[in-house]
Amino acid sequence: MSLAENILAAPAGRRVAHMDWSARAHEALLVAYLLFTFIGTHPLVSATTTPEERLAGSPLDRLLAPGMTLIGLALIWARRDAAWEAVRANRLLVAVLAFCQASILWSNYPDLTLRRALALLFMATISLGLAASIDDLRRFHTRIFQALTFVILVNLAATALWPELAITDIGVAGIYGQKNPAGMVAMIVIIVCVTYAFGAKGAGEQFLGALGAAISFFFLVITRSKTSLGLTFLALGVGFLFWLAQRLGFRFALLALAGLTVVLAGFIGLVVVSDFDVQRILGAFVADTSFTGRDELWAFAWRSALQNPWLGHGYGAFWDVGAVNDPLVKLEPGTWLGDVRVGIINQAHDGYLELFLHIGIPMTLAAVASVFAALGAATRRAITTPGFGAQAAYAMMALNLFLYLLHNLTEATLMMRGAPFCNLALLFCFACGRTIWRQDARP
């Protein structure tokens, strides 16, 4: 008999006590985890930290993360059947996490790998505990909606109160120090709000969801993060197509096939007209084909990754290793990458290349496959799970995992400890591996 069945079969008084404890712990930990992830312990100062400060890490982070992990472990034990179900469904993800810990054996900087791999493991443990203790998907979605809308309000308040810190020459950075992380957070929250509104039971919840989406969209616009803005519209478009598919059924499949045929024919025509010139084709869609200099950084990261393609340099042991050991120090001056001040660049600006640097190509492919598997599970459950609230929750997870894969084409958050998108993706991967036994069964 599963834990869920044991709980349901228990005497009423005992069942209520058990559920009260786990429900309270789950909700408190969920809100704490989200605020820790999206606001952190040192907002408004992240852009001014030096390489030495990043090397040392935050003492408060080292206190809070293990504390939340202990609560996560308690939830895992209390819901061990559900936790085991989530682990089995995410075997590749668990293998990647284990490999990150093992990379201390060949790391360039074992002490850094130990600390940073443990930080990733703490976040994964918290995520597993939260995923195992979800009882009501709509309530889970509601708490995420409330916490992340609060995060946007904090960003707007910080922008109004401390504009000299929150506003940069290239866009509003909010509490994050840079506009790109701010835009990424706004993008995530918009998806959370829109799906929350679609899963609402009444006009009041629909209004709150729409209001949260509008406020988040305003913040996204003032960040001037074009990548996040484009991905937001793409995700909303995909969500709309998914909604149409549910209602039109086979007719939508025919329309989608016809549309795909037209797009493919147009692309082939563009290739032929451009004389098979990739740069020329790319230039037709983006103004800067170097992606603001990222092409040079990507080439450097690729060369560095090929130095140890199977095992990587060790998790967390390539960037932020101190000014003296910074990987860019030995580059010849004369290019922007060689001339940039040490410590400014601390990621490959491509999540796939970044993870390749850390743990090699086999485990990078395993990590990507684990996210794809969770995306597929979320999509299937969004179709088959009864209840609008549950369907909307799975749609929220599916769209955010979809964005996670796309966002890592130009930013590095794939299995990167402490990155907000990574922490959220870990939670969603484990949550999608579960069959939630108490559903919103509203037809």
Side-chain angles (χ1 to χ4, degrees):
M1 183 178 288
S2 70
L3 177 64
E5 291 169 334
N6 283 328
I7 294 170
L8 290 174
R14 179 183 168 192
R15 182 168 69 244
V16 169
H18 182 98
M19 292 306 299
D20 283 348
W21 174 86
S22 63
R24 287 196 301 269
H26 168 85
E27 293 201 0
L29 182 60
L30 177 59
V31 172
Y33 183 62
L34 292 172
L35 296 183
F36 178 78
T37 292
F38 287 92
I39 296 179
T41 57
H42 48 277
L44 287 172
V45 298
S46 58
T48 60
T49 54
T50 65
E52 287 71 25
E53 289 171 330
R54 292 198 295 267
L55 183 64
S58 167
L60 187 54
D61 287 355
R62 289 200 290 270
L63 177 65
L64 292 176
M68 289 190 293
T69 301
L70 290 175
I71 302 173
L73 286 170
L75 288 173
I76 290 170
W77 177 252
R79 301 295 185 87
R80 47 193 176 275
D81 289 346
W84 180 240
E85 181 185 22
V87 167
R88 283 182 308 186
N90 288 276
R91 289 184 292 271
L92 277 177
L93 175 57
V94 173
V96 171
L97 294 171
F99 191 88
C100 290
Q101 311 304 310
S103 68
I104 188 177
L105 299 174
W106 59 85
S107 170
N108 298 339
Y109 305 94
D111 55 332
L112 291 180
T113 295
L114 175 62
R115 195 174 78 206
R116 291 168 177 175
L118 276 177
L120 178 66
L121 184 62
F122 286 159
M123 297 302 104
T125 302
I126 297 165
S127 297
L128 177 58
L130 288 170
S133 55
I134 298 171
D135 291 330
D136 186 315
L137 281 163
R138 180 60 181 177
R139 193 173 183 84
F140 173 68
H141 196 170
T142 299
R143 292 293 173 262
I144 294 176
F145 163 73
Q146 292 168 340
L148 294 190
T149 302
F150 175 75
V151 169
I152 295 296
L153 294 176
V154 168
N155 273 278
L156 291 173
T159 304
L161 294 172
W162 299 284
E164 69 280 5
L165 296 175
I167 301 177
T168 69
D169 294 336
I170 56 175
V172 170
I175 63 175
Y176 303 106
Q178 297 178 357
K179 71 176 181 101
N180 288 336
M184 176 198 67
V185 170
M187 171 185 70
I188 292 170
V189 182
I190 289 170
I191 299 304
V192 170
C193 291
V194 170
T195 51
Y196 176 80
F198 269 90
K201 292 182 178 179
E205 288 184 345
Q206 290 174 345
F207 172 77
L208 288 176
L211 180 62
I215 294 171
S216 303
F217 185 75
F218 170 74
F219 181 61
L220 174 58
V221 169
I222 62 177
T223 66
R224 292 162 61 185
S225 177
K226 290 179 285 189
T227 299
S228 294
L229 186 63
L231 289 178
T232 299
F233 282 117
L234 176 61
L236 293 176
V238 169
F240 177 69
L241 291 177
F242 182 79
W243 180 80
L244 281 180
Q246 284 187 304
R247 280 148 183 80
L248 296 180
F250 182 69
R251 289 174 297 169
F252 177 81
L254 293 177
L255 289 173
L257 181 61
L260 182 62
T261 303
V262 170
V263 170
L264 182 61
F267 178 74
I268 293 173
L270 182 62
V271 169
V272 173
V273 170
S274 303
D275 292 326
F276 300 90
D277 186 339
V278 176
Q279 286 295 321
R280 186 177 173 187
I281 295 171
L282 191 60
F285 298 97
V286 295
D288 181 6
T289 57
S290 74
F291 294 93
T292 60
R294 282 183 173 89
D295 57 346
E296 188 177 331
L297 176 59
W298 292 337
F300 168 76
W302 178 257
R303 292 194 304 270
S304 301
L306 289 177
Q307 293 170 5
N308 195 348
W310 303 114
L311 299 177
H313 292 271
Y315 186 81
F318 191 78
W319 308 102
D320 286 334
V321 293
V324 175
N325 299 312
D326 190 280
L328 298 179
V329 166
K330 297 179 181 179
L331 286 182
E332 292 292 331
T335 63
W336 81 267
L337 194 59
D339 293 337
V340 72
R341 181 165 60 88
V342 172
I344 294 296
I345 303 295
N346 67 341
Q347 60 156 293
H349 278 284
D350 181 290
Y352 306 99
L353 268 178
E354 181 74 11
L355 199 58
F356 184 11
L357 279 167
H358 289 253
I359 58 174
I361 190 64
M363 282 295 113
T364 298
L365 293 175
V368 175
S370 70
V371 179
F372 267 110
L375 172 59
T379 303
R380 289 193 302 272
R381 295 188 192 282
I383 297 171
T384 60
T385 301
F388 293 155
Q391 290 173 358
Y394 280 123
M396 169 194 68
M397 291 188 268
L399 289 173
N400 271 304
L401 289 173
F402 171 69
L403 286 176
Y404 185 55
L405 291 168
L406 291 179
H407 190 260
N408 271 284
L409 293 172
T410 56
E411 299 294 337
T413 60
L414 184 64
M415 301 301 161
M416 288 297 113
R417 82 277 171 204
F421 220 162
C422 174
N423 289 357
L424 194 68
L426 287 171
L427 173 59
F428 289 167
C429 284
F430 284 123
C432 292
R434 278 201 56 207
T435 303
I436 311 299
W437 55 269
R438 188 195 299 171
Q439 303 279 8
D440 168 13
R442 182 168 57 93

